[in-house]
Amino acid sequence: MTTLLNYMESAEGASAPAGDASQQMAAQLAHLTRFPVYSSSITASRRSVFFLGRQGEEKFLGILCSNSKLGESFDGQAESVIVNGARCTLIVCRLNSANAEAARKALPFLDARLLGLRKSVGCGDRLGLATPGHIRAVRQSTMAPIFAQQSMRENARTGRTPQQVMDDAMWGVLQEGWHDGFGADADHLKTPADIDLCVSAGYTFYTFDPGEHVDNAANAASQDALERMAGALPWRELETNLNELLYRLADKPIDLGSFSITVSPEELLRAVAKYGRAVAHTARMYRHLERTTQSGSFEVEMSVDETETVTTLAEHVYIAHELRRLGVKWVSLAPRYYGTFEKGVDYIGNLDEFERSFAQHAAVAQAFGPYKLSLHSGSDKFSVYSIAAKVAGELVHLKTAGTSYLEALRAIAALNPALFREIVAFGSERYTTDKATYHVSAEVAKMPDIRSWPDGRLPALLDDFHGREILHVTFGSVLNHVPFRGVFFATLRDNESVYDGMLEEHFKKHLAPFANDQP
């Protein structure tokens, strides 16, 4: 039988032993610490054993080491213990930022890393509790995961910082013993200051959102208006002029593999007027990121998905051509697709037309990259997953966020029906205000009236279109409402296996269509 002392001398970063040995070690560690230990978290490194345990609602980092000097890197309480006849040092630490930084130095698998062109999934977590459930689903998939992901808009509404998001995901990675690598997405960044916050927190994936610089009026503008709009662009930043651009791109066949496209001067002018400032902003953000961090330590995604008008094939060609000419390197891009991608509900639109359009975007991504096509607001878009997987293959990134919060509400509905009823009533009042920055179409009047529902039926509200969207976009108001906050988190922490299980099953449905063995 492998003893704790034998295991302590294992290879660096050795994961928990399998089966009974892991449970026996967890029992030994629990006896030493006097609180239950997550057996999957047990990891050997630097002649020490690292693990997570829990007492009440609070979790702790434990370190059992033969060299007490290791403890100098951690902020915790140390004591001398006897293990299998040998004297060791046991250190018990709170899960704070200082200990998170020290843990990353001791256990390299806790550092976020680059994912490259691997098929991937972003698992947003607005509560800081979802990573264990995400990991359990990802273990059964072929997707490379991003476990730390939250936009600045979400940070503002939840009162969290990029560092807290990173640390919460990292502790979840340790708890589940995930040693296979993960990314960290600084999502929907709009300013250089946003970049700086996320660089300091160790993010590896930077999603630039130049949506505010997209001029949707170009879609229907006249020729004269388009020329005026183009004339006002920041051409110095774009390092070209309109005549040069027309010479390079207009009226020339562009090979996209299975077909070619010729962009007319009018199509190009419209693309320039619509996306020129967005391209300039993206290049500006990219160069700031290059100056701020080490070369080769980051990946970039460009996102124009949260805009009013669909990105045409010619517009995608313009964006990709110009970003490449300006020296921007990116691994994924999120156009504004045909149809409607509303928050937390399935795709709205003609699936045949979506597939045709998505295939064209995939051809551009192959020709000008290769890079991945990113499905933003990708939560619960079950009807398009198989299409995206079939068309894009490995070159796809699925981004989810709010669906994990909705599964938390499903757990609340099952565990604390009275609280859930209060949240629904409160969210209904807040919806008109909170929906202002989202693309949603739910109506409070069309949401089922749950006042007459028995408690056992309440989780079904999370399957209703209007209920899902209303609860989705009011998350910030709910989490910041003092009467809710304490009991909300206490309910989930006291019943973490329930929430983890719901997340696992929900995300398995998201990821299964992307499996390599799917037709």
Side-chain angles (χ1 to χ4, degrees), residues 99-409:
N99 287 327
E101 183 178 357
R104 279 188 278 267
K105 291 177 180 177
L107 302 170
F109 71 89
L110 297 179
D111 266 321
R113 64 182 69 170
L114 305 182
L115 301 182
L117 293 181
R118 296 170 60 195
K119 177 176 54 180
S120 52
V121 58
C123 303
D125 176 11
R126 293 170 177 172
L127 305 177
L129 304 175
T131 298
H134 290 155
I135 289 175
R136 294 177 191 185
V138 168
R139 284 191 195 279
Q140 304 169 63
S141 81
T142 55
M143 305 282 267
I146 288 175
F147 292 133
Q149 173 197 294
Q150 193 152 296
S151 69
M152 288 300 174
R153 175 175 63 190
E154 291 167 339
N155 280 327
R157 294 189 178 188
T158 59
R160 301 170 79 204
T161 66
Q163 188 67 66
Q164 288 173 318
V165 173
M166 175 71 83
D167 292 349
D168 286 339
M170 186 214 78
W171 293 124
V173 167
L174 178 58
Q175 178 179 314
E176 288 297 306
W178 176 263
H179 289 235
D180 293 339
F182 66 99
D185 182 0
D187 195 19
H188 283 284
L189 304 181
K190 297 187 177 185
T191 69
D194 291 343
I195 292 174
D196 295 343
L197 284 173
C198 297
V199 166
S200 65
Y203 283 74
T204 53
F205 188 97
Y206 293 79
T207 300
F208 297 155
D209 179 0
E212 294 174 358
H213 302 271
V214 175
D215 195 337
N216 293 289
N219 240 44
S222 66
Q223 179 76 14
D224 288 345
L226 290 173
E227 290 176 358
R228 287 194 299 272
M229 294 161 73
L233 292 177
W235 290 106
R236 179 171 294 183
E237 283 188 81
L238 291 168
E239 299 177 12
T240 188
N241 59 56
L242 182 58
N243 287 335
E244 288 180 356
L245 190 58
L246 288 166
Y247 177 77
R248 279 193 299 266
L249 267 180
D251 285 338
K252 291 180 173 62
I254 299 168
D255 183 10
L256 296 179
S258 59
F259 67 99
S260 65
I261 178 178
T262 299
V263 180
S264 71
E266 182 182 349
E267 287 177 311
L268 183 57
L269 180 61
R270 200 171 297 279
V272 170
K274 182 176 177 180
Y275 286 110
R277 293 184 189 278
V279 168
H281 180 74
T282 300
R284 192 182 313 125
M285 294 278 281
Y286 182 83
R287 286 164 185 163
H288 180 83
L289 180 58
E290 278 190 309
R291 292 190 298 269
T292 306
T293 191
Q294 295 179 341
S295 177
S297 65
F298 63 85
E299 297 171 319
V300 164
E301 173 173 285
M302 187 224 199
S303 164
V304 291
D305 68 298
E306 291 190 357
T307 54
E308 296 173 11
T309 55
V310 171
T311 305
T312 67
L313 182 61
E315 290 163 352
H316 189 167
V317 167
Y318 163 73
I319 291 169
H321 181 277
E322 290 303 279
L323 288 179
R324 189 168 68 175
R325 181 181 61 78
L326 290 167
V328 176
K329 298 177 182 178
W330 69 101
V331 298
S332 56
L333 190 145
R336 168 64 164 85
Y337 296 111
Y338 171 86
T340 304
F341 281 67
E342 295 191 4
K343 300 293 184 181
V345 296
D346 207 344
Y347 173 79
I348 302 169
N350 184 296
L351 288 171
D352 291 335
E353 183 61 25
F354 171 81
E355 181 169 354
R356 183 195 67 78
S357 174
F358 191 82
Q360 291 180 337
H361 286 302
V364 177
Q366 280 282 3
F368 284 87
Y371 52 87
K372 293 182 279 192
L373 286 180
S374 191
L375 296 169
H376 282 215
S377 299
S379 299
D380 309 289
K381 303 299 181 293
F382 298 109
S383 62
V384 305
Y385 295 155
S386 59
I387 294 172
K390 177 182 68 175
V391 171
E394 291 293 308
L395 293 176
V396 65
H397 177 62
L398 172 64
K399 185 169 293 195
T400 73
T403 199
S404 296
Y405 171 73
L406 292 177
E407 287 306 294
L409 290 181

Side-chain angles (χ1 to χ4, degrees), residues 409-417 420 455 458-459 498 502:
L409 290 181
R410 191 185 298 275
I412 294 288
L415 297 164
N416 192 335
F420 182 73
D455 287 350
L458 292 178
V498 174
M502 287 181 172

Side-chain angles (χ1 to χ4, degrees), residues 489-508:
F489 280 93
T491 300
L492 295 175
R493 288 178 175 136
D494 288 343
N495 300 275
E496 64 178 341
S497 63
V498 174
Y499 182 36
D500 291 346
M502 287 181 172
L503 276 175
E504 179 181 357
E505 291 305 309
H506 192 55
F507 270 79
K508 281 164 59 177

